[in-house]
Amino acid sequence: MSTSGTERFNELFCELEHSNEDEQRKKIGEMNEIVEGMDFDELESIFNEETFNKIYKMIEEKKMTMENVILLLKHAGYLKTLKNVWNPCFDSSSLNKRFEKMIFEEEKKKEKNEKLLVDLCGCYLLLGNQFNSELTLIYVPCLLKAASVKEENEEAQKEVEMALLTLSNINEYIEVKQELYLKEITEIIKHQQEQRNLTKLAYQCAWLFFINRFFHDYSLEDTITAELHFVGEAARELEELTRCIDWKNKEENEKRRKATKEEITLIRWVETCTYYFLSCRLWNEEYVELLSRIVQIIHAAGDNHREIGNLCISSLRYAAENRDVKVEDLLKGGAIDAILEEIQRQTLNEAIVNDCFQFLVNVSRKLKEKNKDEREEEERKALNRKVFEKMEEEGYEDVLTSFHETLKIFNRRYYHGLSLKFSDYLVNV
């Protein structure tokens, strides 16, 4: 996006208060097209607190209809959330409080405008980062109802995707009572597993919303893992998305600015898997398949899509930290091989080196846990031998030696408690 694109957006924005409703709609259409191609920094620069306060003023002075406000802000919020742009400006703006007030007022009406309420909740949640906890009772049921529409036409599915994307922006720190969502989100996921009629992004968003709830409610684990089979579903989605992406693209700037919807959805799935590894402790036999899909993405990403590859490495690191993910799973899924290969890359940044060593020290710790059962102890020793041979084949000890003096720096810089004992990174046979 050239500077002229940002300038054109600001020029059109300044013209809105002097335009009639139809002219505003046309200008907003052009503005929405302009922001499609913007990168993170440009989105942050145009949707700042001044912009939001100006919109608030136009609403108060009746210079802009609510329909046109929603047309502009809903699209901005969609892109902000989709591109994972951190922008706290809306939270501190006058418009934020205005939306809260409108949501409360609309909910109290005997005859609610359901579409308006969904749109208000959408703008509020997609643009913000901090939400009024009292509004949870309104926006969760409202958006789940919108997301439960079974119609399969394109327009209906677009609205379902928007509702689920909005729900996925309700982060794990916000507590939502089970009675507000459990039945509905379970039905949405089950219906998708039977009919496969949601968009890939919508399905990912449904899972992310659900797994975020696990932060406050560990009783959800059985439903997520055993009943709805998250691990197998995530593996299948990652496999399909991996086939849809052109991994040969070497233009990093162009990729960052014009990432395809498939790339964005894949990134969000990997992040969702990471949340799962961090939270869920119920072992599932499908783990190996999921780990192998993440490894497959690392290989596909190569040097051309390092951001995606690095995200997968971090995900494997958290899988290794999960006490219920077995070393056998990591070995069969190819995770150990992938990490041993990655740690020898010449272009690794410090954060990824840190993740690789976190992974390997956790593998080492798991393998040092002796079993009282004689047969299981023999199996552990055999597994130790396999991992040791892989490490020896890759020259792992030499790599560790070359990094060992810098582990103290990583430990201080990333606050992750990396062990400084050389032996903690080794596998004994």
Side-chain angles (χ1 to χ4, degrees):
M1 172 63 61
S2 63
T3 306
S4 60
T6 306
E7 290 175 350
R8 178 58 179 158
F9 179 93
N10 289 328
E11 179 184 310
L12 289 165
F13 181 71
C14 290
E15 293 173 1
L16 289 178
E17 65 178 322
H18 307 296
S19 306
N20 62 39
E21 186 176 346
D22 290 339
E23 289 171 342
Q24 281 184 355
R25 187 171 287 273
K26 289 178 183 178
K27 292 180 192 297
I28 290 170
E30 185 179 342
M31 291 163 73
N32 285 344
E33 287 181 11
I34 291 170
V35 299
E36 283 281 350
M38 286 185 171
D39 63 20
F40 307 133
D41 294 335
E42 288 168 324
L43 281 170
E44 281 190 332
S45 71
I46 61 170
F47 288 105
N48 50 39
E49 190 170 351
E50 183 182 352
T51 300
F52 293 129
N53 287 336
K54 177 77 178 207
I55 293 171
Y56 168 80
K57 187 178 178 183
M58 283 193 280
I59 294 172
E60 294 298 297
E61 294 177 352
K62 303 191 184 309
K63 291 182 177 179
M64 195 170 181
T65 65
M66 188 50 60
E67 289 80 3
N68 283 347
V69 168
I70 288 169
L71 184 64
L72 175 62
L73 294 182
K74 198 173 175 182
H75 190 68
Y78 174 84
L79 291 174
K80 169 194 171 285
T81 301
L82 200 61
K83 296 187 178 186
N84 201 23
V85 177
W86 173 258
N87 186 346
C89 295
F90 181 75
D91 297 328
S92 55
S93 70
S94 305
L95 191 60
N96 177 285
K97 295 301 177 187
R98 182 71 158 85
F99 268 87
E100 286 185 4
K101 182 183 176 185
M102 287 189 290
I103 290 168
F104 277 123
E105 289 176 348
E106 191 62 39
E107 172 63 20
K108 288 177 182 176
K109 291 180 181 177
K110 287 185 178 179
E111 295 185 8
K112 301 182 191 64
N113 183 331
E114 297 284 354
K115 185 180 184 314
L116 175 60
L117 189 57
V118 169
D119 286 340
L120 291 172
C121 291
C123 290
Y124 175 72
L125 289 167
L126 290 171
L127 289 168
N129 300 292
Q130 298 177 1
F131 312 121
N132 185 332
S133 59
E134 292 179 33
L135 282 173
T136 305
L137 296 170
I138 301 173
Y139 59 64
V140 171
C142 169
L143 290 164
L144 279 170
K145 184 177 180 181
S148 299
V149 173
K150 300 292 193 300
E151 294 177 37
E152 295 188 19
N153 63 73
E154 186 176 346
E155 185 177 348
Q157 284 305 298
K158 188 176 179 181
E159 290 302 313
V160 168
E161 180 182 276
M162 183 68 81
L164 287 169
L165 180 69
T166 306
L167 285 164
S168 76
N169 211 35
I170 304 171
N171 63 46
E172 67 272 25
Y173 301 111
I174 297 174
E175 186 173 4
V176 183
K177 300 297 183 185
Q178 270 196 24
E179 56 266 26
L180 292 178
Y181 70 88
L182 184 57
K183 180 176 179 290
E184 290 78 7
I185 198 66
T186 301
E187 286 181 356
I188 288 169
I189 290 172
K190 283 184 174 179
H191 188 265
Q192 168 66 1
Q193 291 173 349
E194 293 169 2
Q195 302 297 325
R196 301 293 177 193
N197 59 349
L198 291 179
T199 67
K200 290 196 168 297
L201 175 62
Y203 190 40
Q204 182 277 326
C205 291
W207 270 116
L208 180 55
F209 167 76
F210 198 9
I211 287 177
N212 276 340
R213 310 286 64 81
F214 190 81
F215 186 83
H216 285 285
D217 190 350
Y218 288 97
S219 71
L220 297 172
E221 186 170 45
D222 193 63
T223 303
I224 289 170
T225 302
E227 183 181 346
L228 297 177
H229 306 285
F230 169 79
V231 177
E233 288 294 297
R236 187 185 62 79
E237 291 293 315
L238 286 174
E239 182 182 22
E240 290 184 4
L241 285 162
T242 301
R243 292 201 301 263
C244 295
I245 294 172
D246 176 14
W247 297 103
K248 295 179 181 179
N249 175 17
K250 294 184 179 182
E251 299 295 330
E252 284 298 315
N253 272 340
E254 286 301 306
K255 181 180 77 67
R256 186 168 75 94
R257 292 168 186 266
K258 299 178 181 177
T260 65
K261 199 168 184 178
E262 289 80 11
E263 287 174 331
I264 291 170
T265 305
L266 181 138
I267 288 169
R268 288 172 62 90
W269 264 114
V270 173
E271 290 173 341
T272 306
C273 290
T274 302
Y275 298 151
Y276 179 84
F277 292 141
L278 280 166
S279 306
C280 293
R281 301 297 181 187
L282 189 63
W283 185 86
N284 187 287
E285 65 277 4
E286 296 169 315
Y287 258 126
V288 172
E289 184 184 1
L290 178 56
L291 293 168
S292 68
R293 294 304 166 214
I294 295 173
V295 169
Q296 179 187 10
I297 296 167
I298 294 173
H299 293 320
D303 290 322
N304 297 343
H305 293 253
R306 285 310 302 163
E307 289 182 13
I308 295 177
N310 290 348
L311 191 65
C312 290
I313 291 167
S314 294
S315 189
L316 292 180
R317 168 260 175 100
Y318 288 111
E321 286 187 7
N322 187 321
R323 67 173 182 266
D324 294 305
V325 176
K326 306 178 192 305
V327 174
E328 296 97 315
D329 299 332
L330 298 169
L331 191 61
K332 289 177 184 176
I336 293 175
D337 291 280
I339 294 296
L340 288 171
E341 290 170 13
E342 288 295 317
I343 204 169
Q344 298 188 65
R345 279 184 177 272
Q346 299 297 314
T347 56
L348 278 181
N349 64 43
E350 289 180 357
I352 298 305
V353 173
N354 177 72
D355 282 335
C356 287
F357 278 119
Q358 288 284 5
F359 175 95
L360 292 165
V361 78
N362 275 291
V363 168
S364 176
R365 285 171 183 164
K366 287 173 187 278
L367 289 173
K368 288 172 182 174
E369 295 172 356
K370 294 185 178 181
N371 295 296
K372 292 181 180 179
D373 183 276
E374 191 173 316
R375 184 179 61 81
E376 289 182 356
E377 179 61 13
E378 285 302 313
E379 289 176 353
R380 182 188 72 84
K381 289 180 179 179
L383 185 60
N384 279 19
R385 169 61 64 181
K386 283 183 183 179
V387 177
F388 176 82
E389 288 173 354
K390 282 187 178 294
M391 289 179 164
E392 194 172 47
E393 186 181 331
E394 293 292 335
Y396 166 65
E397 195 164 337
D398 289 338
V399 174
L400 174 59
T401 302
S402 70
F403 278 110
H404 194 253
E405 291 303 314
T406 60
L407 292 181
K408 189 180 293 185
I409 297 171
F410 294 155
N411 206 21
R412 188 166 59 245
R413 190 166 292 170
Y414 297 102
Y415 306 102
H416 289 317
L418 263 176
S419 174
L420 301 180
K421 289 176 63 179
F422 195 87
S423 61
D424 282 350
Y425 297 87
L426 301 177
V427 173
N428 300 319
V429 294

